[in-house]
Amino acid sequence: LLHQAQLIRQHQLPIDYFLIDDGWHDKPWLLDLIRSLHSLGFRVGLWYAPYTRHAHLPIYPTLDHLINDYQLDLLKLDFLYKLYFAPHLADDSLPHQTLVEIFTYLQTHYPALYTIACGSPFAPALGRVDAIRFSKDTTFPPPVPRWARRLLYRSRLRLLATEYNLIPTNFSSIPDPDVRLFSLDDATTAAFWDKISGTCLGLGDDVSQLTPTQLEQALLWLQKNLSSPSSSPRSTKRVISPSSSEI
């Protein structure tokens, strides 16, 4: 992980946050790694699944421990839909309120913390987190034809617009672009990027596996699509999560 960070700085890739994915729990090197990442100029985040991978831990004390003891700048909460599958629920009011309270707690106690809701229903997260990740799995993988995947993706946009009264130019209503439909430098991606406002772009490449040419291409693309300058964490940011499935 530290090697990834050093390569990013060596090649001057404009990355704001370094997100450490699953596998960090109970690792003695974690705090030293985070300090090293901070010294390289990164804001640092952790992936955390409170209701699956870490379901045995109390939620609020654990959040306080992670944020304070590890000096976190970002927290990605994943698999939040797990609450909605608890047995004997009469409706979704209890899990909905539980997520609202968690997001509100983080907003209130850690206003500078960048929060990402992943695997979360839309309604409790809206306006309470900095970014909402919609799964790219809302489209079919190949070998389903490109036209069919694009049709399904567009239908998802229409659903969000009609059901939640959200317009596609507001990025909070746009699911993650299917990486199989968009490439970095075509006109479709350029038009899509122009609609994005106040979000984070996640990069999951293993930087050490990229060729010098690919690194140069990445640098040029990131420079062309710079983050919006802001003193607030609620602006367009770049998040690197090495060797994960994120785009």
Side-chain angles (χ1 to χ4, degrees):
L1 292 174
L2 186 57
H3 180 54
Q4 296 276 328
Q6 291 166 340
L7 284 173
I8 290 168
R9 288 295 179 247
Q10 176 185 336
H11 293 280
Q12 300 181 326
L13 301 179
I15 303 295
D16 302 297
Y17 289 83
F18 195 103
L19 173 61
I20 301 171
D21 211 336
D22 193 13
W24 53 263
H25 188 59
D26 290 333
K27 295 297 190 295
W29 44 258
L30 181 60
L31 184 56
D32 286 339
L33 172 64
I34 291 176
R35 287 171 176 165
S36 297
L37 293 170
H38 277 143
S39 70
L40 287 170
F42 289 102
R43 297 174 186 175
V44 183
L46 288 180
W47 174 97
Y48 180 58
Y51 302 115
T52 55
R53 178 70 174 81
H54 306 97
H56 60 291
L57 300 175
I59 180 67
Y60 288 100
T62 302
L63 290 174
D64 291 334
H65 159 65
L66 293 177
I67 296 166
N68 293 317
D69 293 0
Y70 292 108
Q71 303 168 9
L72 296 185
D73 308 288
L74 178 150
L75 192 63
K76 177 182 177 181
L77 298 172
D78 204 353
F79 296 113
L80 299 178
Y81 56 75
K82 175 71 173 178
L83 284 173
Y84 292 75
F85 291 93
H88 313 303
L89 285 177
D91 54 39
D92 66 354
S93 58
L94 179 59
H96 173 90
Q97 186 58 32
T98 299
L99 290 183
V100 167
E101 290 174 358
I102 290 173
F103 296 146
T104 303
Y105 178 84
L106 293 173
Q107 273 187 318
T108 303
H109 291 81
Y110 304 101
L113 181 75
Y114 197 95
T115 52
I116 303 176
C118 184
S120 171
F122 186 82
L126 179 61
R128 299 183 180 94
V129 295
D130 294 290
I132 304 171
R133 181 183 182 273
F134 284 88
S135 173
K136 296 183 289 297
D137 298 332
T138 52
T139 57
F140 295 115
V144 174
R146 179 187 176 97
W147 66 265
R149 289 183 278 126
R150 186 179 292 275
L151 179 64
L152 180 61
Y153 184 78
R154 297 303 178 188
S155 69
R156 176 60 180 250
L157 295 183
R158 287 193 297 272
L159 173 66
L160 290 167
T162 56
E163 292 293 322
Y164 299 103
N165 196 30
L166 295 167
I167 57 175
T169 53
N170 178 350
F171 186 78
S172 64
S173 68
I174 299 180
D176 282 348
D178 187 329
V179 294
R180 305 176 191 92
L181 297 184
F182 299 95
S183 61
L184 289 183
D185 292 308
D186 65 12
T188 303
T189 302
F192 181 85
W193 184 260
D194 288 341
K195 297 179 181 179
I196 293 178
S197 174
T199 186
C200 63
L201 173 66
L203 306 169
D205 293 297
D206 182 347
V207 179
S208 67
Q209 298 301 309
L210 300 180
T211 66
T213 299
Q214 290 171 323
L215 284 167
E216 181 64 23
Q217 290 174 339
L219 174 60
L220 291 174
W221 190 86
L222 289 168
Q223 288 175 335
K224 185 174 67 175
N225 298 281
L226 288 175
S227 301
S228 304
S230 172
S231 58
S232 167
R234 300 177 188 278
S235 62
T236 305
K237 298 297 180 186
R238 301 283 162 54
V239 182
I240 184 75
S241 182
S243 302
S244 77
S245 60
E246 299 291 310
I247 59 168

